[in-house]
Amino acid sequence: MKEIFLLKLGEIVLKGANKRQFENKLRQNVRRRMKKYGNFDVYILQSTVYVEPMDEEADVDGAWEACRSIFGVVSLCRCRPCEKDLDAIFDAIENYLGDDLDCAKSFKVESKRSDKRFPLTSIQLSQEIGGRLAEAHPGVEVDVHHPDYTVYVEVRDLSAYVHGPAEPGAGGLPTGVGGRAMVLLSGGIDSPVAAYMMAKRGVEVEAVHFFSYPYTSQLAKDKVIELARLVTKYSGRMTVNVVSFTEIQEAIRDNCPEEFFTLIMRRFMMEIAQRIAKGDGCGALITGENLGQVASQTMEAMTVTGAVVDIPIFMPLVGMDKKDIISIAREIGTLDTSILPYEDCCTVFTPKHPKTKPTLGQVVNAEKKLDREALIARALENVEKIKVTYHDEPLL
């Protein structure tokens, strides 16, 4: 029989009456991810997603790689199904895992019997199959405590399944069960990680990027689109809303005290992001802010910048050490792109001595010469919407 995948559910199994909703969303996400790789049947039984290729043309290796980055899956394995019969189970192990066994110094068999109609208990099944394998592979010792290799046998409703050690999955919750949110995506290290972390909690992510040509280059914009593409490996497809921000930054430079430049700029960003978010059905904003990392990320500064919006602001990185954020960026593949030397608009007109402990009254007074509504309206007139998927051609 052909090879299939078993994707084990994570915290979905702890859900109550709404468990079916989470399972349906996960199955929908897996089916969508599999479309690129051919004809696969995707179904859920006993808190496990089965991914089964339906013909020889299916790209099994490509589909396997995609399954490793689907949120909601805690672990996954490639396995061989067979009849629920001792001889069939042994033959399947020999044909599918025999070479791996020959390369090991020691082994054990671990069995799980979900189908209670099977005549042997899990322990009896492990003993029977382990004994046969020991005879077939005399050069490999049996070690039930610290084996070099473990053979797994799962007797389930439809078939028995044999496989080697499982691999860790992406974890989290299925994309889409946590609503939609808009991430303020810069070209730095933090915001792509913030988008990834909220997507891992089941949030469907869109993005907004503020582009200040000619102060920032086309390469800077391409860098952000590429970061979004890399995040979609985990989050699924994404729309990036590119907002022309030059006029607003020049107005701030010409009309506001220098020490408040960054704070006022971020207030405009938050308000524009909220308006786009509400128009696209997003219920929250996501930022990569990290408490104390820069002058605009003190508690007082974040209070002032957040005061212009009335939807939740998710800050998944707010209490993390920078080294931990960098570690996640490296793990998800965004770090090398984030550190490319193409500046984003946050580095334009940076004050020499930024205000670190502002009050709301001070900032409102500092921006009083600006026609906020007119500036925001013009910025929203020509928002460029760019749809991104992981299989797009890289821009950099």
Side-chain angles (χ1 to χ4, degrees), residues 12 27 39 60-61 64 117 119 215 242 281 289 321 323 377:
I12 295 176
R27 183 174 66 246
N39 187 18
V60 175
D61 290 337
W64 171 253
R117 296 170 298 178
Y215 301 105
V242 181
E289 289 171 294
D321 289 341
K323 65 180 181 62

Side-chain angles (χ1 to χ4, degrees), residues 127-178:
Q127 291 173 337
E128 177 66 30
I129 295 298
R132 294 191 186 192
L133 291 174
E135 292 181 3
H137 302 269
V140 186
E141 296 181 358
V142 176
D143 184 347
V144 298
H145 298 295
H146 304 288
D148 189 36
Y149 187 79
T150 300
V151 173
Y152 293 88
V153 179
E154 301 187 39
V155 181
R156 294 174 163 266
D157 283 353
L158 300 180
S159 301
Y161 302 86
V162 302
H163 61 86
E167 295 189 16
L173 294 172
T175 301
V177 299

Side-chain angles (χ1 to χ4, degrees), residues 38-316:
N39 187 18
F40 287 82
D41 190 15
V42 179
Y43 50 96
I44 296 182
L45 293 171
Q46 298 174 313
S47 298
T48 300
V49 181
Y50 294 70
V51 181
E52 182 176 354
M54 301 307 293
D55 51 51
E56 295 298 326
E57 285 70 38
D59 179 1
V60 175
D61 290 337
W64 171 253
E65 286 301 312
C67 286
R68 295 170 68 180
S69 59
I70 296 176
F71 289 132
V73 176
V74 69
S75 67
L76 62 163
C77 60
R78 302 172 76 144
C79 66
R80 177 71 59 84
C82 62
E83 295 181 9
K84 291 183 279 187
D85 170 83
L86 282 175
D87 291 337
I89 292 170
F90 174 73
D91 289 342
I93 294 172
E94 280 292 279
N95 292 330
Y96 189 57
L97 304 175
D99 291 343
D100 291 336
L101 271 170
D102 283 333
C103 293
K105 296 179 181 179
S106 60
F107 82 97
K108 77 169 183 177
V109 177
E110 191 167 308
S111 302
K112 181 178 180 181
R113 185 191 62 158
S114 300
D115 182 0
K116 302 306 179 185
R117 296 170 298 178
F118 190 76
L120 300 182
T121 66
S122 297
I123 293 176
Q124 290 171 336
L125 177 57
S126 294
Q127 291 173 337
E128 177 66 30
I129 295 298
R132 294 191 186 192
L133 291 174
E135 292 181 3
H137 302 269
V140 186
E141 296 181 358
V142 176
D143 184 347
V144 298
H145 298 295
H146 304 288
D148 189 36
Y149 187 79
T150 300
V151 173
Y152 293 88
V153 179
E154 301 187 39
V155 181
R156 294 174 163 266
D157 283 353
L158 300 180
S159 301
Y161 302 86
V162 302
H163 61 86
E167 295 189 16
L173 294 172
T175 301
V177 299
R180 302 180 71 195
M182 182 75 68
V183 61
L184 281 74
L185 190 63
S186 71
I189 295 172
D190 298 339
S191 56
V193 174
Y196 162 84
M197 292 182 68
M198 292 312 303
K200 189 172 184 177
R201 298 312 304 160
V203 174
E204 185 178 347
V205 178
E206 284 201 24
V208 59
H209 174 64
F210 295 92
F211 183 51
S212 293
Y213 183 82
Y215 301 105
T216 57
S217 67
Q218 180 63 39
L219 284 172
K221 177 181 172 182
D222 291 345
K223 173 183 174 181
V224 171
I225 303 304
E226 175 63 8
L227 286 171
R229 187 190 73 83
L230 294 170
V231 172
T232 62
K233 177 180 180 180
Y234 301 91
S235 69
R237 55 198 173 188
M238 184 189 302
T239 297
V240 182
N241 298 272
V242 181
V243 178
S244 178
F245 205 54
T246 307
E247 181 187 5
I248 291 175
Q249 288 194 284
E250 289 178 339
I252 294 171
R253 176 199 62 191
D254 295 341
N255 295 281
C256 302
E258 183 183 353
E259 62 182 332
F260 294 107
F261 280 2
T262 303
L263 291 167
I264 296 171
M265 176 192 72
R266 290 191 61 79
R267 281 165 59 83
F268 272 97
M269 288 180 171
M270 298 294 278
E271 188 163 355
I272 291 170
Q274 175 177 253
R275 295 198 191 188
I276 298 173
K278 288 183 174 181
D280 289 354
C282 297
L285 300 179
I286 303 168
T287 73
E289 289 171 294
N290 180 258
L291 186 62
Q293 181 171 242
V294 294
S296 63
Q297 294 178 10
T298 64
M299 192 177 298
E300 294 84 356
M302 288 192 287
T303 299
V304 167
T305 56
V308 294
V309 303
D310 56 19
I311 60 176
I313 304 171
F314 296 148
M315 304 177 186

Side-chain angles (χ1 to χ4, degrees), residues 6-66:
L6 298 182
L7 315 183
K8 304 299 179 69
L9 275 58
E11 59 185 281
I12 295 176
V13 300
L14 303 176
K15 302 299 178 183
N18 61 347
K19 178 180 176 183
R20 181 64 59 86
Q21 173 188 345
F22 285 78
E23 290 182 341
N24 288 341
K25 177 57 73 171
L26 177 58
R27 183 174 66 246
Q28 182 183 82
N29 293 347
V30 175
R31 283 176 174 168
R32 186 172 64 247
R33 294 284 190 96
M34 293 301 101
K35 283 183 179 179
K36 177 178 173 60
Y37 303 101
N39 187 18
F40 287 82
D41 190 15
V42 179
Y43 50 96
I44 296 182
L45 293 171
Q46 298 174 313
S47 298
T48 300
V49 181
Y50 294 70
V51 181
E52 182 176 354
M54 301 307 293
D55 51 51
E56 295 298 326
E57 285 70 38
D59 179 1
V60 175
D61 290 337
W64 171 253
E65 286 301 312

